[in-house]
Every structure is written in C-alpha cells, then in structure tokens.
Amino acid sequence: MTMMRKILGATAALAISATAVLAEPAIIFDLGGKFDKSFNEAAFSGAERWAEETGGSYKDVELQSDAQREAALRGFADRGYNPIVMAGFSFATALNTVAADYPDTKFVLIDMVVDQPNVKSVVFAEHEGSYLVGVLAAMASKSGTVSFIGGMDIPLISKFACGYAQGVKDTKGDATVIVNMTGTTPSAWNDPVKGGELTRAQMSQGSDVVFAAAGGTGLGVLQTAADQGILSIGVDSNQNYLQPGSVLTSMVKRVDNAVYEAFSAGENVMPGFSAMGLDNDGVGYTVDEFNKSLITDEMMAAVEDAKAKIISGEIMVHDYMSDESCPSF
Amino acid sequence: MQKMPKWADVALIPLINILIAFTLSGLIIWAIGGDPFRALKTMVTGSFGSTNGWGYTLYYTTNFIFTGLAVATAYQARLFNIGGEGQAMLGGLGVALVALSIDWPHWAIALPAAAIGGAAFGAFWAVIPAYLQAKRGSHIVITTIMFNFIASALVGYLLLNFLKVPGNMSTESAGFPAGTNLPTFSDMLAPFGITFAKNAPANISFLVALACAFGYWLLIWHTKLGYQIRAFGQSETGAIYAGINPVRIVVITMVISGALAGMMALNNVMGEAERLIDNAVEGAGFIGIAVALMGRNHPVGIVLAALLFGFLFQGGSELSLWEGIPRELVVVIQGLVILLTGALDNMVRGPVERLFLMLHKGEA
C-alpha cells in the first residue's frame, strides 16, 4: 500500500512538474550537431543568448538518426515544450505529419516552409545578401574574375551562387564568375582540404575573390585564400576574424536572431511565413576591425546603395529556388 | 572436453559482458556529473516502458536482425562480410525502385515485390566481391568495405540526378504511393483489441525478419547447401576433397548474405521513411557485425542481440533527449558494449572457464 502510494505520489509530482515547464522552449539540431561552426551553431548561439538575457532555460537535443526526428518532435510536444524550434530543412516531412497532432503547440521551422496552422516557417533571403557581397567582390577584384565555392549541390546553395553572380555582373558587366560545388553528399559540408583544392583551381583560372558557402569546407577556402594572398568571403556567421586582412566580408544569415525571436515570443509565436531579408536584418554583410582596410569608401557607398535599392524593390534579385534557373550564370 | 555447461556459454558470459559494459558506462556518466541509476532508468523506461518505446526499440531491432543474419550467413563459410552497409543501401534503392514503379493497389502485393527488389539489389552488391574472392583471390574484407563507399556514392548520385523531386532540398526520393505503406504494429494489433502507439515505426517487416531468422536456421542446419557452407567454412581443403565446389559456395553464400542485408530496406525505407533518404542505413550494417558476434551466429542469439542493440539505440536516444547526455557519449556506451561482447570476450571467458573447472573438481 505504501509502495502504491509512493508510486502514485511520484506520478502526481511528475504531472505537476510537467505543467510547470509548460512555457519552456525547445530546439532540435540537425544531424550536423550543434557545434558545426556554421548553421546549427548559429542557432545554438541564438538559444544561448536568449537563456543568458532572460535567465530562462530551454531543452535541446542533437539527432543521431533520421528516425529520431519524429520521436524528438513528439517527445517534446508530449511533455509540453512550447515553442519547438527546428534547425534545418530536413525536418519538413516529419513536421508535416506531427504538427496536426499537436494543435496547441507552436513549431518554428528554419530554412523551409511547412504550411500548417501552428507552424511558423522562417526562410532567409540568402540571394539578397549574396548580391551585396557580389557587389563588393566585383569592386575588390583586380583581375575581373571572381568565384564561388558551394558545399553540397542543392538548390539552397545555388540560391547563394545566383544572387552573388547577379551582384557581380550588375556591378561589372564583363566580369567572369566561376561556380564550383564541393560535392553531392553531406560530407561536402565538411571537406576543408577539397575546399582548398578548389580555391587553387579557381585561382589558376584568374579568380582573386572567392565566396565560400560551404559550412566547414569554407574554412579550408578561407585558409587557402589567405595563404595565396587573394580575398575570400565568409558565410552564415561573421567569419572576418578567421583570416584577418584576407576575408573581404561575410554574408551573414542571422539564424541566431530567428531562434532568439522564437524563444522570446514563447507560446505567442505567430504562425505563418516569415522572410528574413535585408529589410529586417535577417541577412547582410559585415564590416568590423578585421576587414575595415579592405572596404573603400567607394565600395561602401555602392553596397549601401544596392542594399537600399533591393529593399525599395528597385533591384530585383533573382531567387534560384523560384524556378531552379539562374539568368546570371 | 566440455569446460563449462552450455547455458554458461550462451547466457552467463554475455550477461557478465553486458554487466561490465554497463558498469563502465555508469562510471562515465557519473564522471560527467550525471546520475547513472537515473540514466539506466531513463533508458529502460524509454525503450520498454511504453508501446511507443517498444515500437522504436523493435524498429531498430528489425534492422539489426537483417544485418546480423547477413553477417552470420557469410561467417558460416568463414567469409567476413563487412559490406552489409553498402548492400543495405543498394537494397534501399531496389525497394524504392519497386515501390515507385507502379501505383501498388495493396501493401500485401507490394511487400513481396519490394522484398525481391531489395534482396536482388543487395545480392548484386555482394556477388561482385564474392566473385573477386572466389576467382581472383581479392580479399573479401577489403572489397566489401570498399563497396560500401561505392554504394554510398552511387545511391547519392542516383538520388540527386534521377530520383529527387525537383525543387526539394533534401536528397530524398518522392514519397512512396499509399499502397506500399506497410501496416505498423498499431494496425496489426488493433484487430486483437490491443492498442499500440500509432506513431511508432515498428512494422510488419519485424515478422519478415523473424521469418528470415527461421529460414536461416533451416538453411544452415537442415539443408544440403547449409551443410556444404558449414563444411567449406570449417575446412576449405576438406570441402574441396569432399567434392564441394568452392567458387559456387562462396558466391551462393554471399548472394544470400547480401540479399538479407538488402531486405533491411523493407523496414527502414519502406516501413519507416516511406521514401528513399540519402544514407538511410545509418550504420546498421556495421552493427550487424556486433550482433552476429554476440549472437554466436545462432538465429536465437542474433534476435536477442539485435533486441539488445535496439534497446541501446532507443534508450540512447532517450538519454540524449531527456537527460542531456551528449550523443557522443551515447555512442561511447554503445561502443563499450560492442567492445566487451565482441572483442574482449575472452577476457571474461577465461576466468569463468577456470571457475567452472574448479567447481567441477570440487564435485569430483
């Protein structure tokens, strides 16, 4: 009898503690892990920033296998975590089946759109940010040839490449843009050696500014560019500090802001579609003490002008993913 | 002479091994500031405490039964097939091609067709190393592991260029038609009035795996071919002297082995994901080696060992979900179990054997 009472007591306590954590947010990182120096880590730093500023706590998990996506989503939703943030487009299929079963839980998906009444989809205008660094690349290049190194060959990365190419060509009509992808499998995100090889190959074709949108592979690109004395452009996070004086700028994608905002809104996250573009600082380029000397006043004026024109709609940057083609290639 | 009773060999030694592995894991969890007993409780309740937990545990178990049987079959002929990973990848391709080829009216028709597709592709991927081993003497360990990389590149290429839905960012095929969706445990048990978590991924391919385990037992110990395979494994020269064609045995054994690995795709590709994802096997091919080793290449042992690894995977996932134990540490725990049950088996076996000898002397 006492045993029974103990068990019942424990269950009751569990139920109480379950309601107590009702407002806690949760985040699920993709297979890359939260310390990938890139996308997931940006999401992680957004969550950490929220925790530091508010003193709140949140739940997080790194996935080990694909089958865990649904399990983790349902597990968090069952225990009352709200909102649940997912870093990465791979969650779309799982979320589509899960979201309907938990109408009272809010889900936030980054980098992909899922059309459900309780899902907020956050997508970034990477093409706009890439356009701006393309403007800078064209002006910084002496040879008139610039290049792009992508990670895995997926439409999202072509979206970066296409905006970049358009920015270059709009600034310097006769410029050449070389585009290479590292590979077709997820390992292409983490192959700095191959990134270095591609950089050398592009240099031999005349490129003197290289934009890397390739996760961990990009670290090899930045390193090689610095060793060989050409300029590089970082991605996602501000990577200017990695090779001071050689990184022209970084195309930042504020995944951290997306996570921070979702956590701050808590259960009141507004479902629907949210585009993070130049107008709301979702994407952009960076200038700090490491690259100040590389950006002239003239370049600064040109890129700010382009930014204003994109926001006002005067310049339309082509989105590769709208039709899987790029007029600027 | 028999050094110790059979029950000790089959049950006691694996049990001691697991106990040591769990003690070590507990110490590690304690060292990083966790509570080992709470962690164990989370693992057990997470895997066996609910029908949802069971559903996931049995889903992983099904994968490991298939790959474990694949390794064990090859091992009967003393062939070390470590290409289960690649064979299962190709099996996934076969299953996906069958599932996407026509609009299947019912899963009962789609299942055998997909099984044949998966088995054929898996077998095809094993038969090339088998031929090279039998005819050219290229060592099967080297060729099968190389074929894993080729399989991964090939499936990635085909997915990206032919099977992917245009505009989709994930490297995955289109979803399979509804007629190929296999019944889950919840669908299967509902007619019996048993409610099972309806979202758990365990499905009817678990029964296919058990049938395969039974078929493996029949084949190896109750057929002429099985006898030939075992004879070849025990002594190649002896088998040749007895008139057994070594090329034929190597090729046939590897075909069966590859087919079993390929059929794993029924579970993960057709049963769970219902589409072909890049790298869908996720290491199950390698876990199969540990499962076969631990199960002593016997079907009952393989099913039990697969269940243990299913528990480790599901329990490990619960650990990282609820206890905040990093996933790298979960891999360490899984690795310790593999190390102790597979590689360090003799460390326990020696002392236990001596203990039994001493007891035996005491009686006599």
Side-chain angles (χ1 to χ4, degrees), chain A residues 31 33 59 63 66 74 324, chain B residues 167 169 199 277 282 321 327:
Chain A
L31 298 170
K59 191 92 190 163
L63 294 185
D66 214 76
R74 288 187 191 279
E324 298 240 336
Chain B
M169 271 195 286
N199 299 308
I277 309 174
E282 290 172 333
L321 258 181
R327 58 177 182 169

Side-chain angles (χ1 to χ4, degrees), chain B residues 202-220:
Chain B
N203 56 71
I204 198 160
S205 55
F206 176 67
L207 301 182
V208 179
L210 291 184
C212 284
F214 181 69
Y216 164 83
W217 175 77
L218 272 185
L219 170 81
I220 297 296

Side-chain angles (χ1 to χ4, degrees), chain B residues 32 66 80 118 128 198 319:
Chain B
I32 64 160
F66 278 119
F80 202 44
I128 306 169
K198 76 177 187 356
L319 267 190

Side-chain angles (χ1 to χ4, degrees), chain A residues 56-80:
Chain A
S57 62
Y58 66 95
K59 191 92 190 163
D60 70 320
V61 70
E62 298 171 273
L63 294 185
Q64 253 181 313
S65 80
D66 214 76
Q68 284 175 4
R69 283 183 209 284
E70 220 184 298
L73 276 173
R74 288 187 191 279
F76 282 158
D78 276 335
R79 301 214 187 176

